[in-house]
Amino acid sequence: MTIRVVLADDQALLRATFRLLIDATDGMTVVGEAADGREAVERARSGRADVVLMDIRMPGTDGLSATRMISEAADLTGVKVLILTTFEQDEYVVEALWAGASGFLGKGVTPEELLTAIRVVAAGEALLSPVATRSLIARFRAQPRALPGHHHERLADLTPREREVLVLVAAGLSNVAIADRLYLSPLTVKSHLGRIMTKLAVRDRAQLVVLAYECGLVRPGDAGLVG
């Protein structure tokens, strides 16, 4: 199955570079380009995209608004958004995850890292570096905001095992790594994740990570989560 990709970035040269790389890769093709967020939504729809590589800062409709538009559109439920940003400078990544993005990576990634990221996100996984995630959320925790009340209430509905799984997801571990850590099968971990997302009313793994940090279940700098 070919992964259909839309490139959303106001830099034409960057889009052209990504297009050359993706179109030269078996199992991937670029089905549209956009210079602003609203155009990205249109291209995702017309091209029946699987993944949108979304720059978060664009003129007109920005990447954050476009990500929210995609996640809220009933006919775009299968579209995954992968945010392109710089970890040190972009203060909107957590907001993008809440808006529905499935992950983020820096524009300085290697070609192989970019292709791997597209495959990971297209497969339904979140792309979240533990180090980058902790750094970003530490910044946002310096300016705490109230979470919707239902998130706090539904945390109480999680079983002890589900809480363990959620903590490890927030640490950036894959399903296989979580299974190894908890002596479970990957299929069992996947089942736990499905129940956790239903209980907490979140749409994907990326939002689980943000919620775990923002509700205090996991804190930036916690030791022993990864390894």
Side-chain angles (χ1 to χ4, degrees), residues 98 148-166 190-204 207-208 211:
W98 272 122
H150 69 269
H151 286 315
H152 287 298
E153 294 165 6
R154 291 174 181 171
L155 274 176
D157 293 336
L158 298 183
T159 66
R161 177 61 86 187
E162 287 168 349
R163 280 178 173 259
E164 284 183 298
V165 171
L166 177 54
K190 184 177 181 179
S191 296
H192 280 309
L193 280 172
R195 288 193 292 271
I196 292 168
M197 285 189 277
T198 297
K199 289 181 178 181
L200 298 181
V202 299
R203 72 188 297 270
D204 62 19
Q207 291 184 351
L208 278 181
L211 186 148

Side-chain angles (χ1 to χ4, degrees), residues 107-211:
K107 290 185 177 179
V109 294
T110 66
E112 189 53 45
E113 286 172 336
L114 176 63
L115 297 175
T116 297
I118 293 171
R119 295 187 186 101
V120 167
V121 170
E125 294 287 341
L127 189 82
L128 296 167
S129 159
V131 173
T133 300
R134 291 176 184 177
S135 174
L136 284 165
I137 296 178
R139 181 181 303 169
F140 275 82
R141 285 185 62 81
Q143 302 173 357
R145 66 181 183 184
L147 283 176
H150 69 269
H151 286 315
H152 287 298
E153 294 165 6
R154 291 174 181 171
L155 274 176
D157 293 336
L158 298 183
T159 66
R161 177 61 86 187
E162 287 168 349
R163 280 178 173 259
E164 284 183 298
V165 171
L166 177 54
V167 167
L168 295 176
V169 167
L173 273 67
S174 66
N175 285 5
V176 172
I178 293 172
D180 289 343
R181 178 73 65 91
L182 299 180
Y183 302 102
L184 301 171
S185 72
L187 184 59
T188 299
V189 171
K190 184 177 181 179
S191 296
H192 280 309
L193 280 172
R195 288 193 292 271
I196 292 168
M197 285 189 277
T198 297
K199 289 181 178 181
L200 298 181
V202 299
R203 72 188 297 270
D204 62 19
R205 192 185 194 101
Q207 291 184 351
L208 278 181
V209 173
V210 178
L211 186 148

